[in-house]
């Protein structure tokens, strides 16, 4: 289909409709962000193209002619149809936009994912991200069952049956309240002491819990918990009361350490108090497209923050 000669463009039709609404060429020009002379020239060009007079210009304003009113009535219909067209195209674009479903453990979601997603968005702003936050075991289950395209977990081992890549490491710290007896100790705490102490633990399935359990198990069977709590925030709050020591991500403990609400206890085995951040995926569907880019950008950011080996790990 070709447009007939003399077809006006949509912008000048919108300008004419605005003149009709405001009763002033100058006011219409301001609404459209152009000068009054420019608006007058565009209307004049439209009159020449249509070969009809649209406006009677006078010192007190501009008034539509009968022909102008008829053109405005048609223009409103045309502009409304164009608006509907653009709305539908926008919906189609949204439906066709690449989507990436990710799941992340709570620590990673709170402290690392925002930076990683910002890096992805800088290169692929059209990608729509859906994020689900669970503990590491639940994240692995979502990826394994197809509920997420990509997962991010922390812990000592890659989840069974999944492909994975180490992105970086996270320091763990032993913390107590200022009035806890350990706050006055002069010697570092050992893994053996930690194993023999009732600590504040995360719930089963947490990557932090798995990491700490594995570390302490090298020195002996860990003692029963002082409490099992479902979030790092709950552990921080309990530790502040002096109930028991806790082993936390330094990312989480940092604000309370800075304020003095918690005290970091040096560890004789500090070199081992770390855990790994991993990207995980289904074995037969390694990351590609936006997912691969997200993994690469996350690895780059973590390497710049704290250099660590970047490698894929074989499923167990």
């Amino acid at each position: 289909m070709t447009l007939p000669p003399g077809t006006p463009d949509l912008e000048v039709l919108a300008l004419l409709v605005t003149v009709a609404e405001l009763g002033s060429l100058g006011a219409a020009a301001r609404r459209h962000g152009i000068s009054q002379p420019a608006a007058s020239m565009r209307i004049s060009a439209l009159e020449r193209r249509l070969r009809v007079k649209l406006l009677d210009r006078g010192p007190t304003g501009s008034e539509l002619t009968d022909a102008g009113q008829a053109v405005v009535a048609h223009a409103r219909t045309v502009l409304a149809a164009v608006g509907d067209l653009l709305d539908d195209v926008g919906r189609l674009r949204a439906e066709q936009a690449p989507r990436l479903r990710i799941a992340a453990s709570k620590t990673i979601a709170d402290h690392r994912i925002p930076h990683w997603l910002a890096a992805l968005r800088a290169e692929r702003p059209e990608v729509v991200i859906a994020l689900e936050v669970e503990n590491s075991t639940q994240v692995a289950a979502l990826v394994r069952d197809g509920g997420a395209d990509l997962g991010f977990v922390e812990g000592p081992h890659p989840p069974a049956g999944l492909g994975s890549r180490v992105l970086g490491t996270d320091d763990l710290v032993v913390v107590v309240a200022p009035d806890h007896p350990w706050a006055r100790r002069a010697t570092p705490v050992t893994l053996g002491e930690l194993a023999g102490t009732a600590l504040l633990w995360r719930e089963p399935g947490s990557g932090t819990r798995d990491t700490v359990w594995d570390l302490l198990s090298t020195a002996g069977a860990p003692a029963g918990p002082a409490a099992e709590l479902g979030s790092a925030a709950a552990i921080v709050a309990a530790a502040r009361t002096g109930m028991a020591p806790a082993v936390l991500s330094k990312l989480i403990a940092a604000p309370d350490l800075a304020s003095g609400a918690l005290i970091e206890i040096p560890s004789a085995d500090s070199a081992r108090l770390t855990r790994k951040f991993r990207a995980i995926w289904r074995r037969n569907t390694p990351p590609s497209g936006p997912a691969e880019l997200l993994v690469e950008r996350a690895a780059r950011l973590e390497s710049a923050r704290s250099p660590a080996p970047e490698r894929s790990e074989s499923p167990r």
Side-chain angles (χ1 to χ4, degrees):
M1 177 180 178
T2 58
L3 294 175
T7 301
D9 65 45
L10 297 175
E11 289 185 0
V12 73
L13 288 180
L15 176 62
L16 182 65
V17 169
T18 305
V19 173
E21 292 173 350
L22 301 180
S24 165
L25 190 60
R30 287 191 294 274
R31 176 174 290 184
H32 286 258
I34 59 177
S35 67
Q36 182 168 336
S40 181
M41 290 176 60
R42 292 183 188 183
I43 297 296
S44 295
L46 178 61
E47 290 175 322
R48 290 193 298 272
R49 176 173 288 187
L50 298 178
R51 290 184 289 183
V52 293
K53 187 176 183 182
L54 302 172
L55 288 180
D56 284 327
R57 299 167 175 83
T60 59
S62 300
E63 185 175 348
L64 288 170
T65 65
D66 290 344
Q69 291 175 357
V71 170
V72 165
H74 287 295
R76 285 195 171 109
T77 301
V78 169
L79 294 172
V82 170
D84 290 341
L85 169 64
L86 294 178
D87 288 344
D88 285 343
V89 169
R91 283 190 289 270
L92 291 171
R93 187 185 304 115
E95 291 172 2
Q96 295 176 6
R99 294 176 180 273
L100 181 58
R101 301 168 304 158
I102 63 176
S105 65
K106 296 173 184 178
T107 300
I108 294 177
D110 288 343
H111 296 277
R112 312 312 303 159
I113 285 288
H115 306 287
W116 300 348
L117 292 186
L120 174 65
R121 184 167 178 77
E123 297 185 51
R124 296 291 302 274
E126 78 282 7
V127 177
V128 177
I129 301 293
L131 170 64
E132 189 159 348
V133 181
E134 301 287 354
N135 68 33
S136 290
T137 297
Q138 293 164 334
V139 169
L142 281 169
V143 172
R144 197 175 286 115
D145 297 340
D149 305 309
L150 188 65
F152 296 97
V153 298
E154 73 263 358
H157 308 295
L162 296 175
S164 68
R165 175 177 176 176
V166 174
L167 303 176
T169 58
D170 178 34
D171 292 333
L172 301 174
V173 291
V174 182
V175 297
V176 297
D179 58 354
H180 189 277
W182 281 11
R184 298 182 293 277
R185 66 181 292 149
T187 58
V189 66
T190 66
L191 289 182
E193 286 181 277
L194 287 172
T197 300
L199 302 174
L200 297 168
W201 287 89
R202 281 287 303 275
E203 80 286 358
S206 159
T208 302
R209 179 189 177 108
D210 290 346
T211 299
V212 176
W213 187 275
D214 272 25
L215 288 170
L216 300 192
S217 295
T218 64
E228 287 185 343
L229 302 168
S231 71
I235 288 184
V236 168
R240 287 197 208 108
T241 70
M243 179 192 303
V247 183
L248 290 170
S249 164
K250 197 164 190 175
L251 293 171
I252 294 169
D256 287 274
L257 294 175
S259 70
L262 291 175
I263 304 296
E264 179 179 351
I265 307 304
S267 168
D269 306 276
S270 59
R272 300 166 64 187
L273 287 179
T274 60
R275 61 179 175 176
K276 295 174 181 178
F277 287 158
R278 288 181 175 84
I280 59 173
W281 54 85
R282 291 183 295 284
R283 185 184 307 184
N284 296 326
T285 55
S288 61
E292 182 179 20
L293 183 60
L294 178 57
V295 171
E296 291 297 332
R297 294 299 169 264
R300 180 181 297 178
L301 287 171
E302 291 305 301
S303 178
R305 174 178 168 270
S306 178
E310 293 182 16
R311 56 187 179 88
S312 294
E313 299 172 306
S314 299
R316 296 192 299 165

